[in-house]
Structure formats: C-alpha cells, structure tokens
Amino acid sequence: MPGTSTKDQNPQIETLRVDLGTRGYDILIGSDLIERCGSLCWPVLPGKTVVVVSDDNVAPLYLDRVVASLEGQDLDVKTVILQAGEGTKSFANFQKLCETILAMGIERKTTLIALGGGVIGDITGYAAASLLRGIPFIQIPTTLLAQVDSSVGGKTGINTAHGKNLVGAFYQPLLVLADTEVLNTLEPRQLLAGYAEVVKYGLIDDFAFFQWLESNGKALINGDDAARRYAVHTSCAAKAKIVAEDEKETGRRALLNLGHTFGHALEAETGYGDKLFHGEAVAIGMVMAYRLSARLGLCTGQDEERLIRHMAEVGLRTDLKGLGAEDWTAEALAAHMSKDKKVTDGKIIFVLAKGIGEAFLSSVDDRDALFSVLDSFLSGSK
Ligand SMILES: NC(=O)c1ccc[n+]([C@@H]2O[C@H](COP(=O)([O-])OP(=O)(O)OC[C@H]3O[C@@H](n4cnc5c(N)ncnc54)[C@H](O)[C@@H]3O)[C@@H](O)[C@H]2O)c1
Ligand SMILES: [Zn+2]
C-alpha cells in the first residue's frame, strides 16, 4: 500500500514506503538519523563509494558527522561543498558539479548523497540522473521544506533564464533520511516557510490534519520534536500517496501545486530571493486560491478566514505588505501565471477548493473573478 508506515525496531525511527514498484524507496523519519546515517544507508548502497554533496551553511554543521558515520561502515567517502542559495541551481554550477564528481573517478555504483535543503537535493538529484546516464542517490534533507516536500517524489532539476526548475528529470532516490533534530539549527524564517507546505497537505485533502495543525502548529514551530516528527510523517505520507498514484504529474499530482501558481507569480515579481521565500509565497498563494474559490462560489469566505487565522497564529504573512507590490499590476501577475509549467493547451490549471481538505483541479474561465482577487491583494498591499 502506498504510504503505509511501520515502526522500526528503534522507536525513534518511523519508516514510510513510497510505493513505485522497482523504483520504490523508504523515507526514514526520526531524531538522531545523521549520527546513524552510515548504518541506515549501507543496506541500500550498491557499491562502496559515496559522494556527499552539501552547501557551505550545512557542511560546517553536519558534514563531519555524516562522513564519520559513513566511514564507520568502511565506505570510501568523498565530499563536494557548494555555495548556499538558489543561485547554485544554475547550468554553470551543474556543469561544475558534474565535472568535479567525474574527476573523482566515479563508476555506476557510486552513490551521491544530498545533504542539505531543496537546492542541494534538486541539483544533486539531477546530477545523479545525468552522470553515467544515472547513478544512485540518497537524500538527507535538512530544511523542513525539503523534508516534507522536495526530497520526496523524484523531481530534480535546475533553473534557467526562462524560469525556475525548467530543466530537470524525474529521478527517484534510493532512500530519504529526514532527521527532525537538524531543524533546530534552521533560521526561524526558513522553518516557517517550510511550514506553509505542511499546511498545504491539510488543505488538499486532510481536514483532520489541518485541525491538528491548528492545535499543534505553534508547538511545532517552537521546537516540539514529537510534533515535528508527526507533521513530517503525515506530510510525507500524503505526498508518497499522490506520487505513487501519479509519478510524472499527468493528473492528480498537480494538487500538490495548491497556492503555487499564485505563489510563483509573487516569486517572479520579488526576484526569487530573500525578499520572499518560496514557502512564504506559497502561504499567500494558498490564501489567494481560497479567495478565488470563494469568488467562484465554490467555498465560503470562512475557509479563507480560518486559513488566515492559522497562518497569523504561527507567524506566516498572508498579504503583500512591504513587498513593493504598490508597483505591481494584476496583468503582470497573470502574465507570470500563464508562463507556469502547469499550463496545458494555453490554459492555466488552478488548484481550487470546496473547503479545507477539499482541493481539486480546474481551469478558470472567469477572468473577472481572477483579476478581482489579484486586485484585492494589490490594493491591500500598502
Ligand atoms: N524537487 C521538488 O519536488 C521541489 C519541491 C519544492 C521545492 N523545491 C526546490 O527547493 C528549493 C528550496 O529549498 P529550501 O527551502 O530547502 O532552500 P535551501 O536549500 O536554499 O535552504 C535554505 C537555507 O537554509 C540553509 N540550511 C539548510 N539546512 C539547514 C540546517 N539544518 N541548519 C541551518 N541552515 C540550514 C541553507 O544553506 C540555505 O541557506 C528551491 O530551489 C525549490 O525550487 C523542489
Ligand atoms: Zn512548494
């Protein structure tokens, strides 16, 4: 069954299966996995050589421990450290990464290990998909966003001048190790941005999880490890189920883009940088999706209010204040949206909702409703 979970012999580790037949893999969730990554990776490794790829924020914190644990299993461990940040996901850096790894004298059984957030996971996964036409890789995600989203599901890639993530491959890892303890060193703002993606799973099809987040979200943000483990587990189970049903996003997987069509337009306007993180854009985008759904008569305005209340409680913004949006136009936002990867036959496919936990996919013919939603956010931006 997709997304089934079993307790490991060690009560601190929960195992979740992404059921993709021969490409299926386990997600292990727990505290202290970094220290034990050698023995946890060893059973799935086809060869004795591994290359750990990390960034210059994460490496000083965790790389030594990862290397020591892998060497404890008699593995030959090499490392590559990239500069932290979205700019690393470029063609130039991808080439450099591939050449660096090739210069190490790798073979088909060499395994790449991505130790970092979504940036490291995406570029390392794409390098694994491409080097020698495909070598194995393992994800050790270190941000909340990477643990609940980017490390699971096999989307890998880099950015281009034409937009984000436009070159890449579907390429599944051998294993994902989500160590919730590493979230303690994450900047609070990054943690919150990842939390938006957690809320997303409740909104898509799990009202009970949304209610759980209303009661426990604050504790999770403030460091409660049990709450973090539960939320990572529930989020990964939700993603694993959808990915198992629709690995290459020909249908249902697009539900995971709730808030993203709007969010990408906001990211494009703010320049994909520190001004607005991806998860922050998704948080606002999800509110936009609920407002549009209400304007189209699909759900009540109370759903949007409830979502805004929860986001405000944990500290996530849901408006455009302070982003310089006074100078933006609804036309420009709509133009960004129509350049999204998810456009089919020229029509934008939106994730709309009949309520919390009741999302569905649809195109929107009512342009006035869409523009009135965009205008309402823009006019409230001062
Ligand atoms: N493949 C997918 O399905 C998918 C899904 C969603 C997002 N993404 C991609 O993921 C990327 C965003 O991922 P992200 O939010 O993890 O960003 P990120 O990788 O840039 O990490 C955010 C920051 O946190 C630092 N960091 C990471 N872990 C840390 C830790 N434990 N302690 C201290 N600092 C730490 C990083 O160095 C970085 O500065 C984007 O490029 C996005 O396109 C991919
Ligand atoms: Zn996202």
Side-chain angles (χ1 to χ4, degrees), residues 78-362:
K78 302 173 197 302
T79 61
V80 183
I81 300 174
L82 306 177
Q83 201 180 336
E86 189 67 32
T88 286
K89 272 174 60 176
S90 68
F91 265 119
N93 287 318
F94 178 69
Q95 179 182 357
K96 222 155 86 189
L97 176 62
C98 289
E99 304 274 18
T100 304
I101 294 171
L102 286 169
M104 291 170 171
I106 57 159
E107 50 179 65
R108 280 239 160 86
K109 288 181 175 174
T110 302
T111 300
L112 300 191
I113 299 182
L115 172 69
V119 165
I120 291 301
D122 279 10
I123 191 170
T124 306
Y126 188 38
S130 312
L131 285 164
L132 311 183
R133 299 204 176 90
I135 61 174
F137 94 112
I138 289 174
Q139 294 261 25
I140 308 185
T142 62
T143 63
L144 182 57
L145 183 134
Q147 293 189 353
V148 299
D149 193 355
S150 62
S151 67
V152 175
K155 282 191 188 175
T156 71
I158 54 173
N159 303 327
T160 80
H162 291 274
K164 268 190 59 162
N165 300 323
L166 291 182
V167 171
F170 284 99
Y171 195 67
Q172 303 293 342
L174 288 181
L175 178 70
V176 180
L177 299 181
D179 183 336
T180 48
E181 242 173 54
V182 304
L183 302 178
N184 289 327
T185 55
L186 198 58
E187 253 186 56
R189 203 181 142 204
Q190 292 284 3
L191 187 78
L192 265 178
Y195 183 79
E197 304 276 7
V198 174
V199 174
K200 182 183 77 178
Y201 294 107
L203 297 177
I204 291 174
D205 65 356
D206 194 345
F207 180 58
F209 183 48
F210 183 80
Q211 286 177 304
W212 183 89
L213 290 171
E214 285 181 318
S215 307
N216 299 280
K218 240 180 149 171
L220 182 164
I221 295 295
N222 291 332
D224 181 333
D225 192 59
R228 287 178 179 180
R229 275 185 275 131
Y230 179 77
V232 171
H233 186 278
T234 307
S235 303
C236 287
K239 182 151 184 186
K241 187 164 176 284
I242 290 182
V243 168
E245 286 166 10
D246 177 19
E247 184 182 4
K248 302 223 163 134
E249 198 169 306
T250 51
R252 208 175 138 68
R253 184 166 177 170
L255 285 170
L256 296 170
N257 299 322
L258 174 60
H260 282 63
T261 303
F262 289 110
H264 286 156
L266 304 177
E267 284 185 278
E269 282 290 340
T270 49
Y272 300 100
D274 285 356
K275 205 165 173 188
L276 189 68
F277 290 157
H278 171 76
E280 294 172 329
V282 169
I284 303 167
M286 292 192 299
V287 176
M288 289 178 160
Y290 272 82
R291 190 170 301 175
L292 178 58
S293 301
R295 294 270 157 103
L296 295 171
L298 297 164
C299 68
T300 69
Q302 282 160 357
D303 294 318
E304 179 195 331
E305 280 165 30
R306 189 166 175 177
L307 175 57
I308 289 178
R309 205 179 316 130
H310 178 55
M311 304 277 217
E313 257 164 27
V314 294
L316 265 170
R317 64 143 78 228
T318 51
D319 57 39
L320 304 179
K321 285 198 181 81
L323 293 175
E326 307 82 72
D327 302 328
W328 305 353
T329 62
E331 285 76 16
L333 289 175
H336 286 306
M337 286 156 72
S338 55
K339 278 195 223 133
D340 204 87
K341 278 201 294 305
K342 280 90 202 179
V343 172
T344 308
D345 296 333
K347 281 205 163 185
I348 306 171
I349 304 299
F350 284 89
V351 188
L352 300 172
K354 292 184 188 139
I356 291 177
E358 294 178 80
F360 66 100
L361 299 168
S362 173

